[in-house]
mmCIF file of all heavy atoms in Angstrom:
data_model
loop_
_atom_site.group_PDB
_atom_site.id
_atom_site.type_symbol
_atom_site.label_atom_id
_atom_site.label_comp_id
_atom_site.label_asym_id
_atom_site.label_seq_id
_atom_site.Cartn_x
_atom_site.Cartn_y
_atom_site.Cartn_z
ATOM 1 N N THR A 80 153.873 106.073 127.960
ATOM 2 C CA THR A 80 152.883 106.501 126.968
ATOM 3 C C THR A 80 151.500 106.108 127.427
ATOM 4 O O THR A 80 151.256 104.956 127.756
ATOM 5 C CB THR A 80 153.190 105.840 125.633
ATOM 6 O OG1 THR A 80 154.525 106.071 125.262
ATOM 7 C CG2 THR A 80 152.260 106.331 124.543
ATOM 8 N N PHE A 81 150.621 107.080 127.517
ATOM 9 C CA PHE A 81 149.245 106.836 127.874
ATOM 10 C C PHE A 81 148.470 106.339 126.639
ATOM 11 O O PHE A 81 148.495 106.967 125.580
ATOM 12 C CB PHE A 81 148.620 108.145 128.402
ATOM 13 C CG PHE A 81 147.139 108.172 128.453
ATOM 14 C CD1 PHE A 81 146.432 107.277 129.292
ATOM 15 C CD2 PHE A 81 146.369 109.031 127.720
ATOM 16 C CE1 PHE A 81 145.062 107.281 129.349
ATOM 17 C CE2 PHE A 81 145.016 109.067 127.771
ATOM 18 C CZ PHE A 81 144.381 108.203 128.571
ATOM 19 N N ILE A 82 147.771 105.231 126.778
ATOM 20 C CA ILE A 82 147.032 104.618 125.626
ATOM 21 C C ILE A 82 145.575 105.043 125.726
ATOM 22 O O ILE A 82 145.084 105.728 124.834
ATOM 23 C CB ILE A 82 147.146 103.094 125.636
ATOM 24 C CG1 ILE A 82 148.595 102.611 125.656
ATOM 25 C CG2 ILE A 82 146.416 102.500 124.453
ATOM 26 C CD1 ILE A 82 149.430 103.010 124.473
ATOM 27 N N ARG A 83 144.897 104.661 126.793
ATOM 28 C CA ARG A 83 143.469 105.006 126.959
ATOM 29 C C ARG A 83 143.018 104.736 128.372
ATOM 30 O O ARG A 83 143.668 104.027 129.130
ATOM 31 C CB ARG A 83 142.592 104.300 125.949
ATOM 32 C CG ARG A 83 142.504 102.808 126.163
ATOM 33 C CD ARG A 83 141.508 102.181 125.219
ATOM 34 N NE ARG A 83 141.516 100.730 125.407
ATOM 35 C CZ ARG A 83 141.972 99.868 124.506
ATOM 36 N NH1 ARG A 83 142.386 100.321 123.325
ATOM 37 N NH2 ARG A 83 141.936 98.611 124.764
ATOM 38 N N VAL A 84 141.867 105.292 128.675
ATOM 39 C CA VAL A 84 141.260 104.989 129.971
ATOM 40 C C VAL A 84 139.786 104.644 129.681
ATOM 41 O O VAL A 84 139.148 105.279 128.886
ATOM 42 C CB VAL A 84 141.377 106.188 130.937
ATOM 43 C CG1 VAL A 84 140.409 107.344 130.636
ATOM 44 C CG2 VAL A 84 141.211 105.790 132.356
ATOM 45 N N LEU A 85 139.353 103.557 130.300
ATOM 46 C CA LEU A 85 137.965 103.087 130.123
ATOM 47 C C LEU A 85 137.249 103.057 131.521
ATOM 48 O O LEU A 85 137.969 102.938 132.501
ATOM 49 C CB LEU A 85 137.912 101.726 129.513
ATOM 50 C CG LEU A 85 138.580 101.574 128.139
ATOM 51 C CD1 LEU A 85 138.621 100.102 127.736
ATOM 52 C CD2 LEU A 85 137.852 102.392 127.125
ATOM 53 N N TYR A 86 135.958 103.116 131.523
ATOM 54 C CA TYR A 86 135.253 103.000 132.794
ATOM 55 C C TYR A 86 134.223 101.909 132.660
ATOM 56 O O TYR A 86 133.777 101.551 131.584
ATOM 57 C CB TYR A 86 134.582 104.348 133.205
ATOM 58 C CG TYR A 86 133.397 104.728 132.378
ATOM 59 C CD1 TYR A 86 132.104 104.378 132.870
ATOM 60 C CD2 TYR A 86 133.472 105.441 131.209
ATOM 61 C CE1 TYR A 86 130.963 104.729 132.130
ATOM 62 C CE2 TYR A 86 132.374 105.798 130.503
ATOM 63 C CZ TYR A 86 131.138 105.443 130.969
ATOM 64 O OH TYR A 86 130.027 105.748 130.211
ATOM 65 N N GLU A 87 133.901 101.394 133.867
ATOM 66 C CA GLU A 87 132.904 100.291 133.931
ATOM 67 C C GLU A 87 131.995 100.621 135.128
ATOM 68 O O GLU A 87 132.471 100.790 136.260
ATOM 69 C CB GLU A 87 133.696 99.024 134.214
ATOM 70 C CG GLU A 87 132.894 97.767 134.262
ATOM 71 C CD GLU A 87 133.774 96.572 134.513
ATOM 72 O OE1 GLU A 87 134.734 96.364 133.714
ATOM 73 O OE2 GLU A 87 133.540 95.857 135.506
ATOM 74 N N LYS A 88 130.710 100.719 134.835
ATOM 75 C CA LYS A 88 129.734 100.930 135.922
ATOM 76 C C LYS A 88 129.471 99.603 136.605
ATOM 77 O O LYS A 88 129.192 98.621 135.956
ATOM 78 C CB LYS A 88 128.461 101.516 135.399
ATOM 79 C CG LYS A 88 128.545 102.938 134.965
ATOM 80 C CD LYS A 88 127.187 103.463 134.520
ATOM 81 C CE LYS A 88 127.290 104.915 134.128
ATOM 82 N NZ LYS A 88 125.964 105.445 133.721
ATOM 83 N N GLU A 89 129.557 99.605 137.931
ATOM 84 C CA GLU A 89 129.381 98.335 138.678
ATOM 85 C C GLU A 89 128.131 98.365 139.552
ATOM 86 O O GLU A 89 128.000 97.505 140.415
ATOM 87 C CB GLU A 89 130.614 98.043 139.474
ATOM 88 C CG GLU A 89 131.819 97.765 138.618
ATOM 89 C CD GLU A 89 132.993 97.189 139.383
ATOM 90 O OE1 GLU A 89 132.977 97.212 140.622
ATOM 91 O OE2 GLU A 89 133.895 96.656 138.692
ATOM 92 N N GLY A 90 127.260 99.309 139.357
ATOM 93 C CA GLY A 90 126.000 99.326 140.072
ATOM 94 C C GLY A 90 126.033 100.069 141.411
ATOM 95 O O GLY A 90 127.008 100.716 141.742
ATOM 96 N N TYR A 91 124.937 100.006 142.112
ATOM 97 C CA TYR A 91 124.731 100.758 143.342
ATOM 98 C C TYR A 91 125.407 100.026 144.521
ATOM 99 O O TYR A 91 125.347 98.832 144.636
ATOM 100 C CB TYR A 91 123.222 100.893 143.622
ATOM 101 C CG TYR A 91 122.897 101.726 144.763
ATOM 102 C CD1 TYR A 91 122.967 103.119 144.766
ATOM 103 C CD2 TYR A 91 122.509 101.136 145.988
ATOM 104 C CE1 TYR A 91 122.673 103.885 145.849
ATOM 105 C CE2 TYR A 91 122.215 101.892 147.103
ATOM 106 C CZ TYR A 91 122.311 103.296 147.037
ATOM 107 O OH TYR A 91 122.040 104.013 148.130
ATOM 108 N N ASP A 92 126.046 100.773 145.367
ATOM 109 C CA ASP A 92 126.696 100.249 146.547
ATOM 110 C C ASP A 92 125.990 100.821 147.756
ATOM 111 O O ASP A 92 125.964 101.994 147.983
ATOM 112 C CB ASP A 92 128.170 100.671 146.594
ATOM 113 C CG ASP A 92 128.934 99.963 147.671
ATOM 114 O OD1 ASP A 92 128.469 99.974 148.834
ATOM 115 O OD2 ASP A 92 129.988 99.362 147.380
ATOM 116 N N PRO A 93 125.384 99.915 148.598
ATOM 117 C CA PRO A 93 124.603 100.399 149.761
ATOM 118 C C PRO A 93 125.468 100.971 150.872
ATOM 119 O O PRO A 93 125.021 101.768 151.673
ATOM 120 C CB PRO A 93 123.872 99.156 150.242
ATOM 121 C CG PRO A 93 124.623 97.997 149.689
ATOM 122 C CD PRO A 93 125.270 98.505 148.442
ATOM 123 N N ILE A 94 126.753 100.623 150.866
ATOM 124 C CA ILE A 94 127.656 101.197 151.909
ATOM 125 C C ILE A 94 127.903 102.661 151.706
ATOM 126 O O ILE A 94 127.758 103.491 152.600
ATOM 127 C CB ILE A 94 129.012 100.389 151.962
ATOM 128 C CG1 ILE A 94 128.727 98.933 152.360
ATOM 129 C CG2 ILE A 94 129.983 101.076 152.897
ATOM 130 C CD1 ILE A 94 129.917 98.042 152.213
ATOM 131 N N TYR A 95 128.266 103.032 150.492
ATOM 132 C CA TYR A 95 128.532 104.412 150.128
ATOM 133 C C TYR A 95 127.284 105.191 149.694
ATOM 134 O O TYR A 95 127.298 106.367 149.530
ATOM 135 C CB TYR A 95 129.608 104.507 149.040
ATOM 136 C CG TYR A 95 130.950 104.090 149.522
ATOM 137 C CD1 TYR A 95 131.517 102.906 149.088
ATOM 138 C CD2 TYR A 95 131.701 104.886 150.355
ATOM 139 C CE1 TYR A 95 132.796 102.502 149.486
ATOM 140 C CE2 TYR A 95 132.962 104.540 150.760
ATOM 141 C CZ TYR A 95 133.511 103.333 150.333
ATOM 142 O OH TYR A 95 134.741 102.946 150.751
ATOM 143 N N LYS A 96 126.224 104.448 149.402
ATOM 144 C CA LYS A 96 124.965 105.013 148.897
ATOM 145 C C LYS A 96 125.199 105.784 147.606
ATOM 146 O O LYS A 96 124.603 106.873 147.398
ATOM 147 C CB LYS A 96 124.301 105.874 149.969
ATOM 148 C CG LYS A 96 123.909 105.080 151.169
ATOM 149 C CD LYS A 96 123.131 105.919 152.149
ATOM 150 C CE LYS A 96 122.584 105.013 153.229
ATOM 151 N NZ LYS A 96 123.066 105.131 154.485
ATOM 152 N N LYS A 97 126.079 105.266 146.755
ATOM 153 C CA LYS A 97 126.366 105.837 145.474
ATOM 154 C C LYS A 97 126.626 104.667 144.463
ATOM 155 O O LYS A 97 126.815 103.545 144.861
ATOM 156 C CB LYS A 97 127.634 106.702 145.539
ATOM 157 C CG LYS A 97 127.447 107.942 146.352
ATOM 158 C CD LYS A 97 128.686 108.790 146.322
ATOM 159 C CE LYS A 97 128.496 110.020 147.186
ATOM 160 N NZ LYS A 97 128.805 111.221 146.532
ATOM 161 N N ASN A 98 126.587 105.034 143.198
ATOM 162 C CA ASN A 98 126.917 104.065 142.168
ATOM 163 C C ASN A 98 128.445 103.984 142.085
ATOM 164 O O ASN A 98 129.178 104.931 142.251
ATOM 165 C CB ASN A 98 126.330 104.469 140.816
ATOM 166 C CG ASN A 98 124.814 104.345 140.814
ATOM 167 O OD1 ASN A 98 124.290 103.364 141.277
ATOM 168 N ND2 ASN A 98 124.151 105.359 140.308
ATOM 169 N N LYS A 99 128.925 102.764 141.701
ATOM 170 C CA LYS A 99 130.380 102.538 141.649
ATOM 171 C C LYS A 99 130.865 102.554 140.197
ATOM 172 O O LYS A 99 130.216 101.936 139.340
ATOM 173 C CB LYS A 99 130.724 101.196 142.283
ATOM 174 C CG LYS A 99 132.228 100.905 142.270
ATOM 175 C CD LYS A 99 132.494 99.567 142.963
ATOM 176 C CE LYS A 99 133.989 99.294 143.031
ATOM 177 N NZ LYS A 99 134.292 98.031 143.705
ATOM 178 N N ILE A 100 131.969 103.234 139.961
ATOM 179 C CA ILE A 100 132.640 103.209 138.680
ATOM 180 C C ILE A 100 134.065 102.764 138.925
ATOM 181 O O ILE A 100 134.711 103.192 139.861
ATOM 182 C CB ILE A 100 132.649 104.615 138.028
ATOM 183 C CG1 ILE A 100 131.258 104.977 137.578
ATOM 184 C CG2 ILE A 100 133.611 104.667 136.834
ATOM 185 C CD1 ILE A 100 131.161 106.327 136.872
ATOM 186 N N LYS A 101 134.525 101.858 138.081
ATOM 187 C CA LYS A 101 135.888 101.358 138.136
ATOM 188 C C LYS A 101 136.589 101.740 136.865
ATOM 189 O O LYS A 101 136.111 101.433 135.771
ATOM 190 C CB LYS A 101 135.903 99.840 138.375
ATOM 191 C CG LYS A 101 137.151 99.367 139.056
ATOM 192 C CD LYS A 101 136.868 98.055 139.829
ATOM 193 C CE LYS A 101 138.097 97.840 140.678
ATOM 194 N NZ LYS A 101 138.021 96.546 141.330
ATOM 195 N N LEU A 102 137.761 102.402 137.000
ATOM 196 C CA LEU A 102 138.506 102.863 135.829
ATOM 197 C C LEU A 102 139.602 101.880 135.511
ATOM 198 O O LEU A 102 140.283 101.350 136.403
ATOM 199 C CB LEU A 102 139.129 104.228 136.136
ATOM 200 C CG LEU A 102 138.155 105.357 136.417
ATOM 201 C CD1 LEU A 102 138.932 106.609 136.767
ATOM 202 C CD2 LEU A 102 137.249 105.612 135.239
ATOM 203 N N LYS A 103 139.796 101.657 134.231
ATOM 204 C CA LYS A 103 140.908 100.798 133.747
ATOM 205 C C LYS A 103 141.786 101.659 132.831
ATOM 206 O O LYS A 103 141.315 102.236 131.846
ATOM 207 C CB LYS A 103 140.308 99.619 132.934
ATOM 208 C CG LYS A 103 141.319 98.689 132.421
ATOM 209 C CD LYS A 103 141.857 97.821 133.510
ATOM 210 C CE LYS A 103 142.680 96.646 132.913
ATOM 211 N NZ LYS A 103 143.231 95.881 133.964
ATOM 212 N N ILE A 104 143.081 101.748 133.205
ATOM 213 C CA ILE A 104 144.019 102.593 132.469
ATOM 214 C C ILE A 104 144.966 101.665 131.735
ATOM 215 O O ILE A 104 145.486 100.701 132.274
ATOM 216 C CB ILE A 104 144.777 103.469 133.493
ATOM 217 C CG1 ILE A 104 143.771 104.404 134.192
ATOM 218 C CG2 ILE A 104 145.852 104.296 132.771
ATOM 219 C CD1 ILE A 104 144.209 104.863 135.483
ATOM 220 N N TYR A 105 145.219 102.037 130.480
ATOM 221 C CA TYR A 105 146.188 101.304 129.648
ATOM 222 C C TYR A 105 147.338 102.238 129.327
ATOM 223 O O TYR A 105 147.141 103.377 128.898
ATOM 224 C CB TYR A 105 145.509 100.869 128.333
ATOM 225 C CG TYR A 105 144.422 99.860 128.523
ATOM 226 C CD1 TYR A 105 143.112 100.274 128.766
ATOM 227 C CD2 TYR A 105 144.704 98.477 128.497
ATOM 228 C CE1 TYR A 105 142.125 99.285 128.943
ATOM 229 C CE2 TYR A 105 143.721 97.564 128.674
ATOM 230 C CZ TYR A 105 142.420 97.974 128.897
ATOM 231 O OH TYR A 105 141.409 97.049 129.097
ATOM 232 N N ALA A 106 148.562 101.726 129.572
ATOM 233 C CA ALA A 106 149.760 102.514 129.317
ATOM 234 C C ALA A 106 150.834 101.630 128.753
ATOM 235 O O ALA A 106 150.689 100.402 128.737
ATOM 236 C CB ALA A 106 150.226 103.143 130.629
ATOM 237 N N SER A 107 151.913 102.242 128.293
ATOM 238 C CA SER A 107 152.977 101.533 127.677
ATOM 239 C C SER A 107 154.302 102.171 128.013
ATOM 240 O O SER A 107 154.358 103.391 128.168
ATOM 241 C CB SER A 107 152.797 101.486 126.133
ATOM 242 O OG SER A 107 153.923 100.913 125.530
ATOM 243 N N THR A 108 155.326 101.372 128.193
ATOM 244 C CA THR A 108 156.706 101.870 128.408
ATOM 245 C C THR A 108 157.681 100.838 127.869
ATOM 246 O O THR A 108 157.454 99.634 128.001
ATOM 247 C CB THR A 108 156.993 102.224 129.876
ATOM 248 O OG1 THR A 108 158.285 102.750 129.960
ATOM 249 C CG2 THR A 108 156.865 101.005 130.736
ATOM 250 N N LYS A 109 158.719 101.326 127.245
ATOM 251 C CA LYS A 109 159.724 100.398 126.701
ATOM 252 C C LYS A 109 160.953 100.329 127.607
ATOM 253 O O LYS A 109 161.781 99.443 127.462
ATOM 254 C CB LYS A 109 160.161 100.878 125.298
ATOM 255 C CG LYS A 109 159.045 100.735 124.289
ATOM 256 C CD LYS A 109 159.497 101.180 122.920
ATOM 257 C CE LYS A 109 158.338 101.058 121.949
ATOM 258 N NZ LYS A 109 158.714 101.589 120.626
ATOM 259 N N SER A 110 161.044 101.280 128.543
ATOM 260 C CA SER A 110 162.309 101.345 129.360
ATOM 261 C C SER A 110 162.187 100.605 130.691
ATOM 262 O O SER A 110 163.174 100.423 131.301
ATOM 263 C CB SER A 110 162.633 102.810 129.572
ATOM 264 O OG SER A 110 161.572 103.468 130.223
#
Side-chain angles (χ1 to χ4, degrees):
T80 306
F81 164 63
I82 307 296
R83 69 175 175 247
V84 77
L85 301 173
Y86 74 94
E87 182 179 305
K88 288 185 178 181
E89 294 192 346
Y91 184 77
D92 189 309
I94 295 171
Y95 291 108
K96 296 185 172 113
K97 292 182 181 233
N98 291 315
K99 181 178 183 180
I100 290 182
K101 205 152 190 188
L102 299 176
K103 181 74 169 179
I104 298 155
Y105 294 89
S107 174
T108 182
K109 293 180 181 177
S110 59

